[in-house]
Amino acid sequence: MRKSSNNKAWWLVVPVLILVAFNAFIPLMTVVNYSLQETFGNNVFFWEGVTWFEQVLRSERFHDALLRQLLFTGMILAIEVPLGISVALSMPRKGPWVSVCLVLMALPLLIPWNVVGAMWNIFALPDIGLLGYSLNSMGFDYNFTQQPVSAWMTTVVMDVWHWTSLIVLLCYAGLCSIPDAYYQAARIDGASAWAVFRYIQLPKMKRVLTIAILLRFMDSFMIYTEPFVLTGGGPGNTTTFLSIDLVKIALGQFDLGPAAAMSLIYFLVVLLICWAFYTIMMRNEEQ
Amino acid sequence: MSRIEFKDVRHAYPQPAGQPVQYALKEVNQVWENGGAYALLGPSGCGKTTLLNVISGLLTPSEGEIQFNHRDVTRLPTTERHIAQVFQFPVVYDTMTVFDNLAFPLRNRRMPEARVRERVDEIAEMLDLSDRLHQRASGLTADGKQKISLGRGLVREDVNAILFDEPLTVIDPHLKWQLRSKLKELHQKIGVTMIYVTHDQIEALTFADRVVVMHDGSVVQVGTPVELFNRPRHTFVGYFIGSPGMNVLPCGLENGKPVFANNLLSSGYPADADLSGKLEIGIRPEFVSFCDDGIPVAIEKVEDLGRYQVVTVSHENEQIKMLIGEDEAIPSESPMIRFDPDNLHLYHNDWIVETADA
């Protein structure tokens, strides 16, 4: 059979290429441009090579922010994933309560980030907030504007409140796709509840769970608005995560070179972790 | 191993409020003798799977009692009933190897690992899975997966019964024959009660010693294949078993003798029996033949099936199928047929009427 080669169809891709160029590639290249040069305004640039990268990688401030970021993401994943799975497992599969549960679960996801931050800020205020006031009147010394531990706790709980639902909904969808026959077979085979979870539910949830963890990782690693509204990165720098720090350097101090270098490093870190995680999770799928 | 008995078992699935209760099982009284090979035969939706699930405890019946060896097990959970069950569509544990899949029911019951190995090897040998034991189960074809499901059903030795719910549906025809004869062989070897659900009469008749025919939630007849063929107790059995099925024709009654087309047929029935209601005769196509003096019919269709021919004839509005030999001539002018009186049955409201001399 003769294959006619006509490559005109490629032209149809052009609009997408233009779109991607304008909203991703060109801005990224601008950042690369800034990261390699020094400027004092008026569009005058001086070549700096990798100086900014070296400076960022050696700076204690960056190390601390990265560490805080890793700690924060680690903590919220460690709480949200098991919590999300167990909530999904205990949700009803059929009956009138299904839709009630789904709506309740979806509610936090619909609230804008800055509103969540403001809500929790007021909720947690030690003198007038419901949470802050109750904790203090129960005898706990709680003040998230002054104590690093309180500030961290509040930020983590806020994120758990906002985003656990995402994991719940994804896992629930995974669970609902398991045919009844699997549960029946497990009962015939005498499987314990743990074995059912380990060998039926978890494997069937694996794909959605991978996506859920990836989404939560990326999102929490780039978290900005909620802690910015809640604590503003304080007290001191204790809740200054990477993107808050980045904005401080770029827009507060207007150090465009180091900020650009930092955002590139930041971008590569996210990319690297996502790639490594996804590769490991999907390694066995191919067989 | 044990004898399983159903006492007045009925089951209805939950239904929207306000609707009349519909029973998926309507009063089943049935004994499954220890070590029997039963086939449960019936069309889709007649309650076969419900009945199996009631035995294995996946369902608790709405009414009635299940006994294993005269012990009430109605409320006993599945795990404590020691029943193996194989489902219609393959269920495998994707993340495990074939070996671990087969070992799963044994390991869940804490069997020593050496013994597990022995059993799994034996079953894998039987099902031709030995060379794939260490592959992951998820990579197998549908055939292979169903063999694993079968294997998990057969691997335990301490079961009360093994239930098969149309297990060979997804399997290739040539492999089907092979597996079915292996199951039969296995039954003869280990002698555990086996109940095999199917809607395919050939499958039922080749596998089982006794066939249980279900229709619309009830057991209508239990018997050997020969009994079902010769003496269907219910018109449904006559129609469902045999190919083509039994002819069921409306008839009248005169002096205890059924009348069809002004012909008195068969011998006497008890005159005192109350036979008001629907009366029919049943005659298998095998026992209808052409003759010189009988019921006049018109020939509608002749199908040549190789070793025999299926002839469809009609008398007034009734169609009658007959089965005649390949070489037998079909009369071309004013054909007449007769029914073999020894193989003619009378049905009252679909149930057979016993003859007076029987």
Side-chain angles (χ1 to χ4, degrees):
Chain A
M1 202 177 81
R2 226 171 63 88
K3 240 186 183 175
S4 66
S5 78
N6 180 347
N7 283 326
K8 276 183 194 147
W10 284 106
W11 288 106
L12 295 175
V13 187
V14 168
V16 176
L17 286 181
I18 293 174
L19 214 68
V20 171
F22 272 94
N23 70 29
F25 190 71
I26 294 175
L28 186 69
M29 283 306 115
T30 320
V31 176
V32 172
N33 192 34
Y34 278 116
S35 74
L36 298 169
Q37 307 182 69
E38 169 75 292
T39 176
F40 301 103
N42 293 335
N43 256 351
V44 185
F45 288 92
F46 302 92
W47 179 255
E48 288 283 354
V50 292
T51 321
W52 301 135
F53 288 91
E54 272 177 44
Q55 189 187 320
V56 169
L57 286 172
R58 288 198 183 154
S59 104
E60 202 129 307
R61 176 171 167 182
F62 177 72
H63 294 168
D64 290 349
L66 182 62
L67 211 65
R68 278 194 291 271
Q69 186 66 70
L70 287 170
L71 186 66
F72 176 75
T73 299
M75 277 172 77
I76 65 109
L77 284 181
I79 298 172
E80 286 175 18
V81 173
L83 185 65
I85 292 175
S86 42
V87 172
L89 284 174
S90 50
M91 267 166 69
R93 299 285 151 70
K94 44 186 126 163
W97 290 102
V98 171
S99 34
V100 177
C101 286
L102 287 178
V103 169
L104 279 180
M105 280 296 140
L107 269 183
L109 299 176
L110 301 176
I111 302 175
W113 289 259
N114 54 347
V115 177
V116 172
M119 262 170 58
W120 277 80
N121 186 314
I122 297 165
F123 184 47
L125 279 176
D127 42 1
I128 56 161
L130 181 63
L131 175 71
Y133 183 80
S134 321
L135 280 176
N136 277 305
S137 52
M138 279 190 286
F140 296 101
D141 183 19
Y142 170 88
N143 186 340
F144 77 94
T145 57
Q146 281 165 21
Q147 302 151 341
V149 176
S150 303
W152 265 80
M153 264 175 41
T154 318
T155 319
V156 168
V157 171
M158 173 181 69
D159 196 84
V160 168
W161 177 85
H162 195 182
W163 288 112
T164 305
S165 307
L166 181 74
I167 296 188
V168 172
L169 292 179
L170 286 171
C171 287
Y172 184 73
L175 283 175
C176 286
S177 70
I178 304 176
D180 268 350
Y182 278 81
Y183 294 109
Q184 295 183 336
R187 277 164 73 188
I188 295 286
D189 292 339
S192 60
W194 165 251
V196 169
F197 175 68
R198 170 71 186 74
Y199 296 112
I200 297 176
Q201 293 170 324
L202 202 55
K204 294 277 174 200
M205 279 194 293
K206 185 178 159 191
R207 279 159 187 272
V208 280
L209 201 57
T210 305
I211 299 298
I213 293 176
L214 267 182
L215 285 176
R216 277 321 294 136
F217 165 76
M218 285 191 291
D219 237 25
S220 69
F221 209 76
M222 300 186 288
I223 192 166
Y224 177 78
T225 317
E226 296 147 282
F228 181 77
V229 176
L230 181 71
T231 63
N237 271 334
T238 45
T239 56
T240 301
F241 301 120
L242 276 177
S243 53
I244 297 181
D245 205 28
L246 182 62
V247 172
K248 278 185 186 168
I249 296 174
L251 302 178
Q253 301 160 221
F254 223 70
D255 281 337
L256 292 182
M262 182 176 162
S263 36
L264 286 178
I265 294 168
Y266 194 177
F267 172 57
L268 289 178
V269 169
V270 174
L271 207 63
L272 186 75
I273 296 182
C274 285
W275 174 79
F277 177 74
Y278 192 77
T279 313
I280 292 169
M281 288 306 285
M282 290 297 143
R283 201 180 39 196
N284 295 328
E285 290 289 301
E286 302 304 314
Q287 294 167 3
Chain B
M1 291 187 211
S2 61
R3 169 185 187 275
I4 300 170
E5 184 169 0
F6 275 50
K7 286 192 166 170
D8 302 325
V9 171
R10 291 160 144 241
H11 185 74
Y13 288 102
Q15 270 182 334
Q19 289 192 16
V21 184
Q22 285 200 351
Y23 284 96
L25 284 183
K26 300 172 183 163
E27 198 164 320
V28 176
N29 283 292
Q30 171 72 28
V31 176
W32 316 84
E33 294 296 346
N34 186 11
Y38 291 91
L40 198 52
L41 183 65
S44 306
C46 71
K48 295 172 302 199
T49 300
T50 308
L51 194 141
L52 278 203
N53 289 348
V54 165
I55 296 180
S56 61
L58 294 173
L59 275 179
T60 306
S62 333
E63 290 163 41
E65 198 178 299
I66 321 286
Q67 293 183 343
F68 286 4
N69 288 335
H70 306 287
R71 190 170 74 97
D72 180 12
V73 297
T74 318
R75 312 273 148 207
L76 216 59
T78 304
T79 23
E80 285 167 46
R81 294 199 190 186
H82 301 289
I83 294 281
Q85 189 171 358
V86 180
F87 299 92
Q88 185 173 6
F89 294 103
V91 174
V92 297
Y93 304 107
D94 291 332
T95 51
M96 297 189 203
T97 61
V98 174
F99 184 95
D100 291 336
N101 258 283
L102 295 177
F104 194 58
L106 302 177
R107 285 180 178 155
N108 282 332
R109 293 179 170 84
R110 316 214 176 287
M111 186 184 263
E113 197 56 32
R115 185 81 190 100
V116 169
R117 193 163 296 275
E118 221 172 280
R119 276 303 290 167
V120 170
D121 284 342
E122 204 174 304
I123 291 295
E125 183 69 37
M126 192 187 112
L127 293 172
D128 224 2
L129 284 169
S130 301
D131 50 335
R132 279 178 285 181
L133 273 181
H134 298 286
Q135 274 179 27
R136 266 176 59 148
S138 57
L140 270 64
T141 57
D143 277 10
K145 286 184 179 173
Q146 188 62 347
K147 279 197 201 169
I148 296 177
S149 296
L150 265 174
R152 279 207 320 274
L154 301 174
V155 77
R156 290 181 63 201
E157 287 174 305
D158 55 342
V159 290
N160 284 322
I162 307 179
L163 316 180
F164 301 95
D165 191 352
E166 308 195 30
L168 303 180
T169 313
V170 294
I171 289 190
D172 260 11
H174 78 278
L175 206 66
K176 234 182 207 177
W177 280 100
Q178 229 174 314
L179 281 175
R180 206 184 305 137
S181 46
K182 271 187 180 163
L183 288 180
K184 180 97 190 167
E185 208 175 286
L186 189 80
H187 176 257
Q188 274 150 8
K189 205 167 96 191
I190 63 174
V192 68
T193 315
M194 288 189 182
I195 303 176
Y196 190 106
V197 164
T198 177
H199 60 252
D200 177 347
Q201 50 167 317
I202 312 263
E203 207 164 88
L205 301 182
T206 50
F207 174 80
D209 311 332
R210 295 183 79 71
V211 178
V212 177
V213 184
M214 284 190 73
H215 173 54
D216 197 20
S218 329
V219 171
V220 287
Q221 187 169 6
V222 184
T224 62
V226 176
E227 284 168 5
L228 295 181
F229 184 82
N230 285 343
R231 230 184 126 64
R233 284 191 54 225
H234 188 275
T235 50
F236 173 78
V237 179
Y239 154 81
F240 198 70
I241 292 191
S243 175
M246 188 169 71
N247 295 302
V248 178
L249 306 163
C251 69
L253 199 66
E254 253 174 49
N255 302 327
K257 290 183 181 180
V259 182
F260 176 73
N262 297 323
N263 278 260
L264 285 178
L265 305 158
S266 180
S267 51
Y269 285 89
D272 54 339
D274 175 20
L275 293 177
S276 56
K278 189 170 68 165
L279 269 185
E280 284 159 321
I281 50 166
I283 179 90
R284 289 204 173 272
E286 285 83 351
F287 304 120
V288 185
S289 52
F290 288 113
C291 65
D292 298 331
D293 182 22
I295 304 161
V297 292
I299 293 179
E300 305 228 316
K301 194 164 67 176
V302 179
E303 289 163 275
D304 194 336
L305 297 183
R307 297 208 341 261
Y308 49 84
Q309 316 174 61
V310 178
V311 184
T312 310
V313 298
S314 64
H315 172 85
E316 285 161 12
N317 289 323
E318 297 302 329
Q319 283 207 336
I320 302 158
K321 285 196 188 277
M322 48 197 295
L323 212 70
I324 62 173
E326 167 83 307
D327 308 325
E328 258 175 80
I330 298 167
S332 48
E333 267 174 49
S334 60
M336 304 260 201
I337 56 165
R338 69 183 288 271
F339 301 146
D340 174 7
D342 294 338
N343 287 296
L344 184 94
H345 308 292
L346 178 65
Y347 293 92
H348 174 234
N349 291 336
D350 287 328
W351 291 95
I352 200 165
V353 180
E354 303 293 338
T355 46
D357 51 355

